[in-house]
Amino acid sequence: MTKLSVNVNKIATLRNARGGNNPDLIQVTKDIERFGAQGITVHPRPDERHIRYTDVYDLKRIVTTEFNIEGYPSAEFMKLVTDVQPTQVTLVPDPPGVLTSNAGWEVREHFEFLRQIIDQLHDYGIRTSIFVDTNLQNIYAAKEVGTDRVELYTEPYAANYHTDRVGAVKPFAQAAKVAGEIGLALNAGHDLDLHNLAYLAQELPNLAEVSIGHALISDALYLGLEETVKRYLDCLK
């Protein structure tokens, strides 16, 4: 079964909107795990507009499932993740100030930089994943650069799912097949929701993990958090 890692950035966004500690990020994270999620994801950004660096240290103390930290590998980010030593670090090519991740790495263009970062993370025993699109050259280069996994950027799949789901999933299925053949484990994330998730998981049988935040937290406003986590897990069975 594909693991569900819940991105809790939106919980921190809501908390930060009013100051104080409501909602309580730590308690919500505990509840998400109690409801069956197999992982917790955070993506701290330099301006700390949602997850703060202090949150990451606090979450490390209470997360009992897989802990995945996403981000651009700046010096500050690398200090954070080597201090915390999560299960997995997902490297994304976000420049400072972007609203959300909106592209994967051009791996060969940044090959030496990524290789050095991945080697450093491996020295700490941290599993690495890099955010890529379905361009097969990026998949092959990801293997060469030494990462353990790739995370497929699924916004194009989500954008085209309702008009042509077969066509939308085809490049992702091909990329997944190649990743499996060359020994890369596979993650996916971005704009996945209760409508499009089950079909993606069905068509990518080697999908190890999905990371979902915005849609899941939005659905929880209507369905409740426990029921929402259950429905996302059902999509992955």
Side-chain angles (χ1 to χ4, degrees):
M1 178 177 170
T2 303
K3 290 183 177 181
L4 171 66
S5 185
V6 177
N7 187 318
V8 295
N9 278 18
K10 286 296 184 294
I11 303 301
T13 301
L14 186 58
R15 175 201 62 189
N16 295 351
R18 290 290 294 270
N21 193 41
N22 187 25
D24 184 332
L25 175 70
I26 298 302
Q27 185 57 54
V28 174
T29 299
K30 290 179 179 179
D31 290 338
I32 289 169
E33 291 188 315
R34 181 165 57 88
F35 297 151
Q38 299 103 337
I40 298 296
T41 291
V42 293
H43 187 151
R45 296 181 185 276
D47 61 6
E48 298 190 312
R49 64 181 180 269
H50 34 62
I51 289 292
R52 300 167 181 153
Y53 275 38
T54 54
D55 290 330
V56 180
Y57 290 98
D58 291 341
L59 286 166
K60 171 62 176 179
R61 288 193 284 270
I62 63 96
V63 169
T64 60
T65 58
E66 291 198 353
F67 193 21
N68 172 47
I69 304 178
E70 300 178 344
Y72 179 81
S74 64
E76 295 78 12
F77 179 84
M78 291 300 292
K79 181 182 186 307
L80 175 70
V81 297
T82 54
D83 282 350
V84 171
Q85 296 184 36
T87 315
Q88 176 176 268
V89 167
T90 300
L91 303 173
V92 297
D94 290 354
V98 299
L99 183 62
T100 186
S101 304
N102 56 16
W105 288 96
E106 293 296 333
V107 181
R108 293 208 182 279
E109 183 179 334
H110 301 93
F111 194 91
E112 284 304 314
F113 173 67
L114 288 170
R115 184 186 60 77
Q116 291 172 18
I117 293 295
I118 290 166
D119 285 349
Q120 183 178 350
L121 293 170
H122 282 167
D123 286 343
Y124 283 86
I126 301 169
R127 187 175 75 217
T128 61
S129 178
I130 59 175
F131 202 51
V132 296
D133 59 22
T134 56
N135 182 331
L136 298 183
Q137 294 309 308
N138 281 322
I139 306 294
Y140 288 119
K143 176 65 175 179
E144 294 172 26
V145 84
T147 190
D148 304 295
R149 296 187 179 189
V150 290
E151 178 175 336
L152 295 180
Y153 168 55
T154 49
E155 190 276 336
Y157 163 75
N160 294 301
Y161 172 82
H162 291 287
T163 55
D164 179 12
R165 70 176 190 171
V166 174
V169 84
K170 184 175 180 180
F172 291 87
Q174 185 179 22
K177 181 175 182 293
V178 169
E181 289 172 347
I182 63 176
L184 284 174
L186 186 71
N187 297 341
H190 204 87
D191 285 355
L192 298 176
D193 59 27
L194 288 174
H195 301 288
N196 60 41
L197 179 59
Y199 185 67
L200 182 77
Q202 170 190 309
E203 296 299 308
L204 277 58
N206 59 327
L207 184 59
E209 174 188 296
V210 292
S211 175
I212 303 176
H214 180 83
L216 189 150
I217 300 305
S218 297
D219 288 333
L221 296 175
Y222 295 93
L223 302 171
L225 187 57
E226 183 172 7
E227 177 64 19
T228 299
V229 172
K230 177 182 179 297
R231 292 195 189 190
Y232 275 87
L233 289 169
D234 285 345
C235 288
L236 297 171
K237 289 181 179 177

